[in-house]
PDB file of all heavy atoms in Angstrom:
ATOM      1  N   ARG A  50     -32.895   9.140  45.852  1.00  0.00           N
ATOM      2  CA  ARG A  50     -32.962   7.957  45.013  1.00  0.00           C
ATOM      3  C   ARG A  50     -31.987   8.167  43.811  1.00  0.00           C
ATOM      4  O   ARG A  50     -31.625   9.244  43.517  1.00  0.00           O
ATOM      5  CB  ARG A  50     -34.344   7.708  44.463  1.00  0.00           C
ATOM      6  CG  ARG A  50     -35.428   7.554  45.536  1.00  0.00           C
ATOM      7  CD  ARG A  50     -35.237   6.287  46.377  1.00  0.00           C
ATOM      8  NE  ARG A  50     -35.234   5.031  45.594  1.00  0.00           N
ATOM      9  CZ  ARG A  50     -36.272   4.302  45.336  1.00  0.00           C
ATOM     10  NH1 ARG A  50     -37.459   4.640  45.754  1.00  0.00           N
ATOM     11  NH2 ARG A  50     -36.127   3.193  44.656  1.00  0.00           N
ATOM     12  N   TYR A  51     -31.652   7.064  43.138  1.00  0.00           N
ATOM     13  CA  TYR A  51     -30.631   7.171  42.119  1.00  0.00           C
ATOM     14  C   TYR A  51     -31.108   8.111  40.959  1.00  0.00           C
ATOM     15  O   TYR A  51     -32.293   8.265  40.764  1.00  0.00           O
ATOM     16  CB  TYR A  51     -30.246   5.817  41.529  1.00  0.00           C
ATOM     17  CG  TYR A  51     -31.299   5.102  40.746  1.00  0.00           C
ATOM     18  CD1 TYR A  51     -31.495   5.315  39.412  1.00  0.00           C
ATOM     19  CD2 TYR A  51     -31.999   3.992  41.317  1.00  0.00           C
ATOM     20  CE1 TYR A  51     -32.466   4.657  38.683  1.00  0.00           C
ATOM     21  CE2 TYR A  51     -32.921   3.276  40.563  1.00  0.00           C
ATOM     22  CZ  TYR A  51     -33.187   3.609  39.313  1.00  0.00           C
ATOM     23  OH  TYR A  51     -34.091   2.883  38.584  1.00  0.00           O
ATOM     24  N   THR A  52     -30.153   8.679  40.269  1.00  0.00           N
ATOM     25  CA  THR A  52     -30.419   9.591  39.170  1.00  0.00           C
ATOM     26  C   THR A  52     -30.582   8.788  37.880  1.00  0.00           C
ATOM     27  O   THR A  52     -29.723   8.035  37.499  1.00  0.00           O
ATOM     28  CB  THR A  52     -29.210  10.577  38.997  1.00  0.00           C
ATOM     29  OG1 THR A  52     -29.025  11.263  40.230  1.00  0.00           O
ATOM     30  CG2 THR A  52     -29.470  11.571  37.887  1.00  0.00           C
ATOM     31  N   GLU A  53     -31.745   8.959  37.277  1.00  0.00           N
ATOM     32  CA  GLU A  53     -32.028   8.254  36.043  1.00  0.00           C
ATOM     33  C   GLU A  53     -31.244   8.870  34.874  1.00  0.00           C
ATOM     34  O   GLU A  53     -31.277  10.089  34.710  1.00  0.00           O
ATOM     35  CB  GLU A  53     -33.509   8.227  35.708  1.00  0.00           C
ATOM     36  CG  GLU A  53     -34.374   7.552  36.722  1.00  0.00           C
ATOM     37  CD  GLU A  53     -34.723   8.372  37.941  1.00  0.00           C
ATOM     38  OE1 GLU A  53     -34.300   9.510  38.043  1.00  0.00           O
ATOM     39  OE2 GLU A  53     -35.451   7.846  38.765  1.00  0.00           O
ATOM     40  N   LEU A  54     -30.515   8.125  34.100  1.00  0.00           N
ATOM     41  CA  LEU A  54     -29.857   8.531  32.877  1.00  0.00           C
ATOM     42  C   LEU A  54     -30.558   7.890  31.742  1.00  0.00           C
ATOM     43  O   LEU A  54     -31.055   6.780  31.853  1.00  0.00           O
ATOM     44  CB  LEU A  54     -28.420   8.126  32.937  1.00  0.00           C
ATOM     45  CG  LEU A  54     -27.536   8.492  34.161  1.00  0.00           C
ATOM     46  CD1 LEU A  54     -26.279   7.773  34.154  1.00  0.00           C
ATOM     47  CD2 LEU A  54     -27.430   9.976  34.231  1.00  0.00           C
ATOM     48  N   PHE A  55     -30.619   8.538  30.589  1.00  0.00           N
ATOM     49  CA  PHE A  55     -31.315   7.976  29.452  1.00  0.00           C
ATOM     50  C   PHE A  55     -30.405   7.914  28.267  1.00  0.00           C
ATOM     51  O   PHE A  55     -29.623   8.851  28.031  1.00  0.00           O
ATOM     52  CB  PHE A  55     -32.575   8.768  29.182  1.00  0.00           C
ATOM     53  CG  PHE A  55     -33.572   8.703  30.261  1.00  0.00           C
ATOM     54  CD1 PHE A  55     -33.615   9.693  31.274  1.00  0.00           C
ATOM     55  CD2 PHE A  55     -34.480   7.611  30.339  1.00  0.00           C
ATOM     56  CE1 PHE A  55     -34.523   9.554  32.306  1.00  0.00           C
ATOM     57  CE2 PHE A  55     -35.356   7.554  31.391  1.00  0.00           C
ATOM     58  CZ  PHE A  55     -35.395   8.517  32.384  1.00  0.00           C
ATOM     59  N   PHE A  56     -30.543   6.843  27.483  1.00  0.00           N
ATOM     60  CA  PHE A  56     -29.661   6.565  26.352  1.00  0.00           C
ATOM     61  C   PHE A  56     -30.482   6.325  25.125  1.00  0.00           C
ATOM     62  O   PHE A  56     -31.565   5.656  25.197  1.00  0.00           O
ATOM     63  CB  PHE A  56     -28.775   5.335  26.616  1.00  0.00           C
ATOM     64  CG  PHE A  56     -27.894   5.426  27.791  1.00  0.00           C
ATOM     65  CD1 PHE A  56     -28.219   4.769  28.953  1.00  0.00           C
ATOM     66  CD2 PHE A  56     -26.742   6.208  27.689  1.00  0.00           C
ATOM     67  CE1 PHE A  56     -27.359   4.972  30.044  1.00  0.00           C
ATOM     68  CE2 PHE A  56     -25.887   6.363  28.823  1.00  0.00           C
ATOM     69  CZ  PHE A  56     -26.225   5.708  30.016  1.00  0.00           C
ATOM     70  N   LEU A  57     -30.034   6.849  23.977  1.00  0.00           N
ATOM     71  CA  LEU A  57     -30.755   6.595  22.728  1.00  0.00           C
ATOM     72  C   LEU A  57     -31.007   5.124  22.480  1.00  0.00           C
ATOM     73  O   LEU A  57     -32.131   4.721  22.124  1.00  0.00           O
ATOM     74  CB  LEU A  57     -29.950   7.195  21.527  1.00  0.00           C
ATOM     75  CG  LEU A  57     -30.455   6.832  20.145  1.00  0.00           C
ATOM     76  CD1 LEU A  57     -31.769   7.472  19.884  1.00  0.00           C
ATOM     77  CD2 LEU A  57     -29.418   7.232  19.109  1.00  0.00           C
ATOM     78  N   ASP A  58     -29.925   4.318  22.642  1.00  0.00           N
ATOM     79  CA  ASP A  58     -30.063   2.885  22.393  1.00  0.00           C
ATOM     80  C   ASP A  58     -28.907   2.186  23.199  1.00  0.00           C
ATOM     81  O   ASP A  58     -28.174   2.846  23.929  1.00  0.00           O
ATOM     82  CB  ASP A  58     -30.040   2.521  20.921  1.00  0.00           C
ATOM     83  CG  ASP A  58     -28.740   3.048  20.207  1.00  0.00           C
ATOM     84  OD1 ASP A  58     -27.769   3.483  20.951  1.00  0.00           O
ATOM     85  OD2 ASP A  58     -28.677   3.024  19.008  1.00  0.00           O
ATOM     86  N   GLU A  59     -28.836   0.866  22.972  1.00  0.00           N
ATOM     87  CA  GLU A  59     -27.770   0.114  23.767  1.00  0.00           C
ATOM     88  C   GLU A  59     -26.406   0.425  23.323  1.00  0.00           C
ATOM     89  O   GLU A  59     -25.476   0.517  24.110  1.00  0.00           O
ATOM     90  CB  GLU A  59     -28.059  -1.394  23.653  1.00  0.00           C
ATOM     91  CG  GLU A  59     -27.159  -2.165  24.599  1.00  0.00           C
ATOM     92  CD  GLU A  59     -27.474  -3.643  24.577  1.00  0.00           C
ATOM     93  OE1 GLU A  59     -28.156  -4.160  23.699  1.00  0.00           O
ATOM     94  OE2 GLU A  59     -26.992  -4.276  25.502  1.00  0.00           O
ATOM     95  N   ALA A  60     -26.174   0.728  22.023  1.00  0.00           N
ATOM     96  CA  ALA A  60     -24.794   1.083  21.581  1.00  0.00           C
ATOM     97  C   ALA A  60     -24.354   2.372  22.261  1.00  0.00           C
ATOM     98  O   ALA A  60     -23.201   2.463  22.668  1.00  0.00           O
ATOM     99  CB  ALA A  60     -24.788   1.302  20.043  1.00  0.00           C
ATOM    100  N   THR A  61     -25.283   3.359  22.478  1.00  0.00           N
ATOM    101  CA  THR A  61     -24.918   4.534  23.202  1.00  0.00           C
ATOM    102  C   THR A  61     -24.591   4.224  24.652  1.00  0.00           C
ATOM    103  O   THR A  61     -23.657   4.764  25.234  1.00  0.00           O
ATOM    104  CB  THR A  61     -26.085   5.527  23.108  1.00  0.00           C
ATOM    105  OG1 THR A  61     -26.442   5.755  21.739  1.00  0.00           O
ATOM    106  CG2 THR A  61     -25.729   6.839  23.777  1.00  0.00           C
ATOM    107  N   ALA A  62     -25.412   3.377  25.321  1.00  0.00           N
ATOM    108  CA  ALA A  62     -25.159   3.015  26.704  1.00  0.00           C
ATOM    109  C   ALA A  62     -23.816   2.273  26.849  1.00  0.00           C
ATOM    110  O   ALA A  62     -23.068   2.537  27.737  1.00  0.00           O
ATOM    111  CB  ALA A  62     -26.312   2.171  27.212  1.00  0.00           C
ATOM    112  N   LEU A  63     -23.519   1.346  25.919  1.00  0.00           N
ATOM    113  CA  LEU A  63     -22.249   0.656  25.998  1.00  0.00           C
ATOM    114  C   LEU A  63     -21.090   1.602  25.830  1.00  0.00           C
ATOM    115  O   LEU A  63     -20.087   1.473  26.538  1.00  0.00           O
ATOM    116  CB  LEU A  63     -22.196  -0.470  24.922  1.00  0.00           C
ATOM    117  CG  LEU A  63     -23.187  -1.635  25.050  1.00  0.00           C
ATOM    118  CD1 LEU A  63     -23.079  -2.581  23.851  1.00  0.00           C
ATOM    119  CD2 LEU A  63     -22.903  -2.448  26.348  1.00  0.00           C
ATOM    120  N   ALA A  64     -21.231   2.569  24.916  1.00  0.00           N
ATOM    121  CA  ALA A  64     -20.104   3.571  24.721  1.00  0.00           C
ATOM    122  C   ALA A  64     -19.905   4.357  25.952  1.00  0.00           C
ATOM    123  O   ALA A  64     -18.774   4.739  26.256  1.00  0.00           O
ATOM    124  CB  ALA A  64     -20.467   4.434  23.541  1.00  0.00           C
ATOM    125  N   ALA A  65     -20.958   4.567  26.754  1.00  0.00           N
ATOM    126  CA  ALA A  65     -20.871   5.333  28.041  1.00  0.00           C
ATOM    127  C   ALA A  65     -20.301   4.405  29.130  1.00  0.00           C
ATOM    128  O   ALA A  65     -20.098   4.895  30.253  1.00  0.00           O
ATOM    129  CB  ALA A  65     -22.189   5.901  28.396  1.00  0.00           C
ATOM    130  N   GLY A  66     -20.121   3.093  28.824  1.00  0.00           N
ATOM    131  CA  GLY A  66     -19.572   2.201  29.829  1.00  0.00           C
ATOM    132  C   GLY A  66     -20.654   1.395  30.607  1.00  0.00           C
ATOM    133  O   GLY A  66     -20.244   0.701  31.584  1.00  0.00           O
TER     134      GLY A  66
END
Side-chain angles (χ1 to χ4, degrees):
R50 301 295 303 266
Y51 69 81
T52 304
E53 297 83 358
L54 307 171
F55 295 94
F56 300 104
L57 171 66
D58 59 11
E59 189 175 17
T61 306
L63 292 175

